[in-house]
Amino acid sequence: MTEHTKHSPPIARTSHFILVLAPILLAFSLSQFFRSAQALLAEPLRVELAVTPEQLGLVSGSFHFAFALMQIPVGVMLDRYGPRLTNGILMLGTVAGVIIFANAHSVIGLMIGQAVIGLGCSAAFMAALVLAARWTAPEKFAAASGLIVSFSLLGVLASATPLAALVETHGWRTVYFGLAAISLVSVVLDLLFVRDTPPGHAVVDRKGETVLDALKGMVSVWKNRQVWLLSGVAFFSYPAILTVRGLWGGPYLHDVFALGPVEVGNVLLIMTIGMILGPPAYGQLSRKFPAKTQGLIVFAVLVGAGACLLQAFLGPWGVGVAAVLMLIHGFIGSSATLSYAASRQAVPEHQIGRALTTVNLATFAGLFVLQGVAGLIIGQFEAGAPEAYQSMFVFLGIGLGVAGITFWFGAKRKKD
């Protein structure tokens, strides 16, 4: 028996697990909403506060920068204090951040609000994955994580057409005040219903762990070659999707095709549907063909690269073409489920939180860098110029292509 299977979780009743997981899923859905909403808020912010493309990249990137900075502390906190307290306490920060953002009247205020929201949301996804690792059998983790990602993307769905309609009728500030209330509800539900482990599950007690012990555990994870390879993919794969869906897809559709807010929301909704269907599909494939996980990761990343390059050169032909390419990118181009499942298997149970958050750190560092660089690229052209978005998609496509090829050769070398 390997170190990875010594502490396999007992079979827990599905209904019990769903009740325990539901508050974390609400928090994760809110996190997905906040990181995606800028695509629909871009135009109101440009009109009301004269936010430039470069500044818009910084506003959106502030969420991801703060989120990424928190991943190492969150990994230690999850292993030491468990998902319930870690996520519940941090989500209080989300409530404060949403209120700051709703009251902001400058770019600095927007950035501060987004950063505090990012800090508050930083544990939700990892908390859900740690719960899945403890409440489900190891061979079911990929499928469970795929479903977690899929359900959380209801938050991304809400940030498409529904958000556009609410912003048009009530204004973005009112919408965000409502979101602050929903975030507070998620904190209450977390503390009431979340349980860190199923009955009879023994977890190593980490509360007596010193700071030095925590750092040694983190270094041990960072020395893991598989974690490094997966982190490299994570830096480009999901960040490229969210650079389009979460920020620049909205301005692209508005500027290139002259679509209104609700029409933009409808096209982004199509991409979101792909993002919802992709993770559970990959989770099931990984479960049925565990030896093919690395090949599936490479396939997904290279499909994403192709979708971005085609978007650059064929997307401007028409809204229908652009929508189909966005759907393909969202559905087939995401390898996040596979990367998290592979990282969970790469380390012993008491380091699961740190391994998952290391990969997540790479993901959100990639979001900060890719969205910021995309903003700089777009800012070099005249406002609304199609060539600006063409250059952005080429940048994303090349980055994804390099990431996929690098992972393929790195994983192949490991096998040799």
Side-chain angles (χ1 to χ4, degrees), residues 27-395:
F28 185 24
S29 296
L30 286 166
S31 176
Q32 295 277 42
F33 178 95
F34 292 128
R35 74 185 61 161
S36 305
Q38 304 309 303
L40 266 297
L41 294 183
E43 190 58 24
L45 292 179
R46 287 198 293 196
V47 171
E48 182 177 336
L49 301 177
V51 178
T52 67
E54 294 90 342
Q55 290 171 334
L56 188 60
L58 289 174
V59 170
S60 182
S62 297
F63 177 103
H64 308 304
F65 182 72
F67 196 109
L69 283 180
M70 282 298 296
Q71 289 311 293
I72 301 307
V74 162
V76 175
M77 290 167 68
L78 286 171
D79 288 335
R80 187 169 180 177
Y81 300 112
R84 175 175 171 268
L85 284 179
T86 300
N87 180 71
I89 292 172
L90 287 176
M91 277 299 291
L92 287 172
T94 299
V95 178
V98 176
I99 293 173
I100 292 170
F101 188 86
N103 281 296
H105 292 276
S106 68
V107 171
I108 296 298
L110 294 172
M111 289 176 64
I112 292 172
Q114 279 289 90
V116 177
I117 294 172
L119 182 151
C121 291
S122 61
F125 183 26
M126 296 298 100
L129 291 187
V130 171
L131 285 176
R134 292 178 178 176
W135 282 75
T136 64
E139 65 273 11
K140 295 181 179 180
F141 179 80
S145 62
L147 290 172
I148 287 169
V149 172
S150 185
F151 279 114
S152 77
L153 289 171
L154 292 174
V156 182
L157 266 178
S159 73
T161 306
L163 176 61
L166 286 171
V167 168
E168 274 203 329
T169 56
H170 299 286
W172 65 273
R173 295 185 189 275
T174 301
V175 172
Y176 263 66
F177 281 122
L179 289 166
I182 297 173
S183 300
L184 184 58
V185 169
S186 80
V187 174
V188 175
L189 294 177
D190 177 288
L191 297 177
L192 285 177
F193 294 108
V194 175
R195 296 295 178 266
D196 292 337
T197 59
H201 180 77
V203 176
V204 178
D205 183 11
R206 313 296 293 181
K207 291 185 173 62
E209 186 179 54
T210 66
V211 173
L212 182 59
D213 292 334
L215 290 174
K216 286 181 179 178
M218 203 70 246
V219 170
S220 175
V221 170
W222 288 346
K223 287 181 178 179
N224 189 302
R225 177 182 171 81
Q226 183 74 356
V227 172
W228 269 105
L229 288 171
L230 292 167
S231 296
V233 167
F235 187 89
F236 284 97
S237 179
Y238 195 55
I241 290 177
L242 272 190
T243 295
V244 178
R245 172 57 189 84
L247 181 58
W248 295 112
Y252 163 67
L253 294 167
H254 176 272
D255 293 341
V256 175
F257 302 106
L259 300 184
V262 175
E263 293 172 311
V264 168
N266 290 337
V267 176
L268 294 179
L269 186 64
I270 293 172
M271 185 175 186
T272 306
I273 291 171
M275 292 168 65
I276 290 174
L277 297 176
Y282 275 128
Q284 291 298 332
L285 284 172
S286 177
R287 182 181 176 186
K288 291 183 179 179
F289 308 103
K292 303 293 185 181
T293 298
Q294 291 179 343
L296 287 171
I297 291 174
V298 174
F299 171 74
V301 175
L302 293 183
V303 166
C308 285
L309 292 173
L310 289 173
Q311 192 72 259
F313 298 105
L314 301 184
W317 287 6
V319 176
V321 176
V324 169
L325 290 171
M326 286 184 173
L327 174 64
I328 292 171
H329 192 186
F331 176 48
I332 308 178
S334 175
S335 62
T337 296
L338 302 170
S339 296
Y340 289 118
S343 64
R344 182 256 182 272
Q345 293 296 326
V347 299
E349 183 183 340
H350 68 276
Q351 293 182 338
I352 287 174
R354 287 167 236 216
L356 292 173
T357 51
T358 296
V359 174
N360 214 35
L361 169 62
T363 298
F364 282 87
L367 271 166
F368 178 73
V369 172
L370 265 59
Q371 290 192 349
V373 172
L376 291 174
I377 291 172
I378 293 170
Q380 300 306 307
F381 295 83
E382 287 186 20
E387 294 81 9
Y389 299 102
Q390 182 180 52
S391 299
M392 179 198 73
F393 282 118
V394 168
F395 160 69

